[in-house]
Amino acid sequence: MLAAEAPYVDDRSTAEAVVRSLYSAIGRQEFARAWGYFGDTKPAKDFDTFVKGYDGTDKVEVQTGAVSEDGAAGSIYYNVPVAIRATDKDGKETVFAGCYTLRQVNASIQEPPFTPIFIDKGALKPATADFEEAVPESCGDGPPPPKKDSALEQAKKVFAATYADQCDKETPEGKPVGEPETYTLLYKDANAAADEPEREMRLFRFFCSMAAYNESAVYYIFDDVSGVRQLQFASPELDIRYENNNSEGKVESINIIGFQTDDQLVNSGYDDATKTISSMNKWRGVGDASSAGTYLFRNGNFSLVQYDVDASYDGEINPQTVLDYNTPP
């Protein structure tokens, strides 16, 4: 991304926004604007030295962490953990990390001209961690941020790597794709002793895409042995026979002739009360023809236990069960 293509951000509403605005200005090579985000203590002895410090820099990306604040003598000081990834014109990337302290002078005691939040001081040093992991946990005397949900973060990375270009960019509610519904499942293995503690498994449901009347989702599970893995769902391959070979006519027979696996489920959801994932694929919008699967959680995995098919396009909802491991004999 060339400097001219970097997004323009000029926001002094929060300390984090000021830091992002600083690196927006640097990325766009608008160095006078970048210089202006600092207070009386500047980042270099003069403006020309500041500009020369970015010779050869083509792109700058920034991440911020949990912000802490302290009040003193009519001002609020904000401590912002920061990591940046600087890419030079030859494509070489360097990661820096550290802390910025920003100051907001109480507006009620100011006189014109008004001074918004500004950077009071800051120091970044080369970091050995990857950019995504380089943000310091905390700065100043503020409390450390909440512990990261490592299982969730792993699932999000795996989903993004596999489906970023396949799934929609937003959910039907207008939210970015990539934030899943999460569930925690406690269970015991079938051969576990009575005094063994329960194991924990995490389930993540990611929205993927919305068509005219079907919505697809991708599922991942996590445990302390296998880590994150994607669920693949068994589904029967069907041989459906219609009277006079007319798909609009009477259904003569439905036979299972094999099985396949699907990486996505349609119109699906998880029910914690029954420990099942259910899906219902409408074959047309009115829903009078469809296929539906029920997947039961047991022994640390989900198994297909029931499959219902409504193969008749007759305007009525009348499915028949073609596979049933769900009903006791």
Side-chain angles (χ1 to χ4, degrees):
M1 181 169 62
L2 298 176
E5 297 174 337
Y8 181 90
V9 180
D10 183 17
D11 183 353
R12 292 183 184 250
S13 60
T14 66
E16 179 185 10
V18 173
V19 173
R20 293 189 176 278
S21 298
L22 167 68
Y23 286 102
S24 163
I26 291 171
R28 294 170 61 87
Q29 299 183 8
E30 297 168 355
F31 296 112
R33 180 162 70 91
W35 184 260
Y37 291 115
F38 291 87
D40 293 336
T41 303
K42 299 298 185 182
K45 66 178 182 179
D46 55 45
F47 178 68
D48 289 340
T49 302
F50 174 69
V51 173
K52 289 180 181 178
Y54 293 98
D55 279 352
T57 300
D58 183 57
K59 181 175 70 171
V60 180
E61 301 163 85
V62 61
Q63 290 192 116
T64 57
V67 179
S68 61
E69 62 180 74
D70 299 294
S75 296
I76 300 175
Y77 291 87
Y78 301 94
N79 300 300
V80 184
V82 175
I84 68 168
R85 175 164 56 195
T87 305
D88 66 21
K89 294 178 181 179
D90 295 325
K92 181 183 177 182
E93 297 180 350
T94 306
V95 176
F96 299 87
C99 297
Y100 278 105
T101 298
L102 293 90
R103 182 182 176 189
Q104 180 178 16
V105 179
N106 192 324
S108 64
I109 64 174
Q110 289 197 46
E111 297 180 355
F114 175 74
T115 302
I117 301 175
F118 60 88
I119 300 172
D120 190 52
K121 60 182 178 180
L124 304 184
K125 297 180 180 180
T128 56
D130 292 337
F131 175 56
E132 292 76 10
E133 308 295 334
V135 178
E137 286 193 359
S138 63
C139 292
D141 298 326
K147 187 176 180 180
K148 284 187 176 181
D149 186 338
S150 59
L152 173 61
E153 294 303 316
Q154 288 180 48
K156 289 165 66 173
K157 287 181 181 180
V158 174
F159 173 77
T162 307
Y163 291 97
D165 296 329
Q166 299 181 38
C167 295
D168 297 344
K169 302 304 180 186
E170 291 184 344
T171 69
E173 296 78 24
K175 298 179 181 179
V177 170
E179 292 294 337
E181 300 170 16
T182 66
Y183 306 91
T184 299
L185 291 71
L186 300 176
Y187 71 100
K188 281 191 175 184
D189 292 320
N191 58 352
D195 59 348
E196 285 189 33
E198 289 185 311
R199 296 185 62 187
E200 180 179 297
M201 176 168 284
R202 302 286 300 283
L203 173 68
F204 305 99
R205 179 190 184 275
F206 289 86
F207 167 85
C208 182
S209 63
M210 171 66 78
Y213 41 84
N214 285 321
E215 173 188 308
S216 69
V218 179
Y219 289 81
Y220 293 87
I221 55 177
F222 171 90
D223 63 33
D224 55 3
V225 175
S226 302
V228 170
R229 55 191 174 95
Q230 184 177 355
L231 287 179
Q232 300 288 337
F233 297 93
S235 63
E237 185 179 355
L238 303 173
D239 177 41
I240 303 174
R241 301 296 175 94
Y242 294 91
E243 189 175 68
N244 299 321
N245 292 322
N246 178 11
S247 62
E248 298 292 327
K250 181 181 178 181
V251 177
E252 291 186 332
S253 64
I254 303 175
N255 293 300
I256 296 174
I257 58 174
F259 287 85
Q260 60 189 23
T261 58
D262 298 322
D263 67 335
Q264 300 178 36
L265 286 184
V266 177
N267 299 329
S268 66
Y270 172 70
D271 182 357
D272 193 49
T274 59
K275 296 292 189 290
T276 57
I277 297 173
S278 59
S279 68
M280 202 278 280
N281 186 358
K282 295 181 180 180
W283 295 1
R284 67 178 181 179
V286 294
D288 61 338
S290 64
S291 55
T294 302
Y295 301 85
L296 175 66
F297 180 75
R298 58 189 176 194
N299 298 323
N301 214 332
F302 284 88
S303 301
L304 175 65
V305 294
Q306 186 169 328
Y307 204 81
D308 302 322
V309 177
D310 186 348
S312 57
Y313 296 85
D314 57 3
E316 297 181 5
I317 298 175
N318 47 9
Q320 66 181 86
T321 300
V322 298
L323 180 150
D324 187 1
Y325 301 118
N326 203 26
T327 304

